[in-house]
Amino acid sequence: MKSAIYPGSFDPVTLGHLDIIRRSAQLADHLIVGVLNNSTKKPLFSVEERVNMLKEVTKDLENVEIMSFQGLLVDFAREQNVQVIIRGLRAVTDFEYELAMSQTNRVANSDIDTIFLNTSLKYAYLSSSIVKEMAMYGGDIRKFVPAQIIDRVYEKYNIIR
Ligand code: PNS
């Protein structure tokens, strides 16, 4: 595969996301991680913070580029000249939403296909929301997010550990 986009909110990036990034970077010559910057979502981290965290945790992956995008994913893909979108599937509960999204994207641009990677079993339960919920109450998030960003998550909730 030449190029692919792995889009998401990454608020914050989890070990599950990083696992999909690493595996996708082996499947595509060039992988763009697209960080959503839409005003309708109220993220914990600013788009700059999310982009910077992703850059830090993927700095060993030479074919991975981190970019932010606004508006529709299909428009971003068209601008970047990319036909393949990658999404991770954790469980059957993800399926309905992901299928609808991929079908909508194909209706909007029939050149674009979505490829689903199954999440590693180790991270099948994990989500950015779980990370935030655990961190908010001072729970241990070391098994959930890359080591480089642990303190930044706690800082958002003024938690000193
Ligand atoms: O990490 P997330 O929040 O599950 O990622 C969702 C994302 C960013 C892939 C999705 O919300 C998205 O593509 N948003 C951009 C707007 C768009 O193109 N929507 C698709 C039509 S349903």
Side-chain angles (χ1 to χ4, degrees):
M1 210 191 311
K2 254 169 63 189
S3 302
I5 294 178
Y6 176 46
S9 304
F10 304 106
D11 186 40
V13 58
T14 67
L15 289 173
H17 293 133
L18 193 54
D19 174 62
I20 298 283
I21 293 172
R22 287 189 180 284
R23 287 157 59 202
S24 304
Q26 297 200 321
L27 297 172
D29 295 336
H30 177 219
L31 178 73
I32 296 173
V33 179
V35 183
L36 180 69
N37 183 17
N38 275 9
S39 52
T40 47
K41 288 202 177 184
K42 275 237 169 296
L44 177 67
F45 289 94
S46 71
V47 70
E48 290 79 18
E49 288 172 320
R50 287 178 279 146
V51 164
N52 286 338
M53 288 189 284
L54 275 157
K55 281 187 178 164
E56 225 172 297
V57 301
T58 59
K59 61 172 185 263
D60 60 316
L61 301 171
E62 282 175 9
N63 60 340
V64 174
E65 189 178 0
I66 315 296
M67 298 177 83
S68 64
F69 73 100
Q70 270 185 324
L72 291 178
L73 176 57
V74 284
D75 293 337
F76 176 57
R78 196 184 286 118
E79 278 158 30
Q80 297 304 318
N81 208 15
V82 173
Q83 275 87 43
V84 178
I85 291 167
I86 295 182
R87 291 284 288 171
L89 274 184
R90 287 166 301 191
V92 73
T93 41
D94 283 342
F95 186 72
E96 218 171 309
Y97 168 66
E98 292 297 335
L99 186 65
M101 198 158 66
S102 66
Q103 285 168 333
T104 308
N105 288 338
R106 253 187 85 73
V107 170
N109 183 344
S110 58
D111 292 336
I112 291 182
D113 265 305
T114 303
I115 292 182
F116 296 106
L117 293 190
N118 60 343
T119 303
S120 300
L121 275 181
K122 230 165 112 181
Y123 306 123
Y125 63 92
L126 192 53
S127 67
S128 297
S129 309
I130 282 183
V131 170
K132 286 181 273 196
E133 179 88 7
M134 289 291 284
M136 186 186 301
Y137 300 109
D140 187 354
I141 58 168
R142 281 175 301 179
K143 289 195 175 127
F144 304 158
V145 296
Q148 300 97 309
I149 74 157
I150 293 172
D151 291 344
R152 264 169 275 180
V153 182
Y154 286 129
E155 269 167 31
K156 286 282 173 189
Y157 298 107
N158 296 320
I159 287 187
I160 300 155
R161 275 181 62 102

